[in-house]
Amino acid sequence: MAGVERRFLLTVPSSTENLVLIREFVTTVGQQAGLEEADVGRLELAVDEACANVMEHAYGHDDTQEVVVRATFDHETLHIVVEDTGLGFDPGAVPEEHLEHLIASRKSGGLGMRLIKSVMDEVRYEFVPGHKNELHMLKRIRRP
């Protein structure tokens, strides 16, 4: 069913203090999109993890930088983009280790990406070195 596309934008300084604001923004957008409560929680978790990774890894806790969260939804899908201009990385260079191995060796690297991929329907990265990094996450909206 074709419908009206709705767009939302949140730009915040790259500080973990703003994760609460980001979670509230994503929760509100997810509810307006018509996601089930459990999917709103999964969406909140994925975006929180993505933004925390940007703040820690891309910007190295430099709160003079900005994190941008864009949300777009229509009748069928909700698309979230987390954008930054910090240090990018090649997700293909991160080894796909078994979760049990990561836990046993107490390694945290790669857990956030694994979590995001496990709760979203589609995930992809776009990196323009020296310009911007975008993490695209898509959630299909199940209608009763």
Side-chain angles (χ1 to χ4, degrees), residues 4-72:
V4 176
E5 183 177 271
R6 298 183 64 190
R7 296 171 182 256
F8 302 88
L9 175 69
L10 176 68
T11 302
V12 296
S14 177
S15 168
T16 54
E17 294 176 359
N18 292 319
L19 288 173
V20 171
L21 183 61
I22 292 168
R23 288 192 298 269
E24 290 173 356
F25 170 76
V26 170
T27 296
T28 300
V29 170
Q31 290 169 340
Q32 287 189 15
L35 289 177
E36 295 176 0
E37 185 177 335
D39 282 339
V40 171
R42 292 181 186 103
L43 177 71
E44 180 184 346
L45 184 64
V47 175
D48 181 271
E49 182 63 28
C51 291
N53 281 343
V54 167
M55 293 168 183
E56 180 180 349
H57 301 295
Y59 288 139
H61 299 284
D62 179 357
D63 62 7
T64 64
Q65 303 298 318
E66 292 183 331
V67 178
V68 177
V69 181
R70 291 186 276 133
T72 306

Side-chain angles (χ1 to χ4, degrees), residues 93-132:
V94 178
E96 290 276 336
E97 296 185 52
H98 290 284
L99 186 58
E100 296 77 20
H101 182 261
L102 289 172
I103 293 170
S105 60
R106 299 185 182 268
K107 289 173 61 178
S108 63
L111 282 175
M113 288 175 40
R114 182 178 295 233
L115 172 83
I116 293 167
K117 289 179 180 177
S118 72
V119 299
M120 299 301 291
D121 293 316
E122 294 179 23
V123 176
R124 68 182 165 85
Y125 299 89
E126 290 182 11
F127 297 98
V128 181
H131 183 62
K132 69 177 179 178

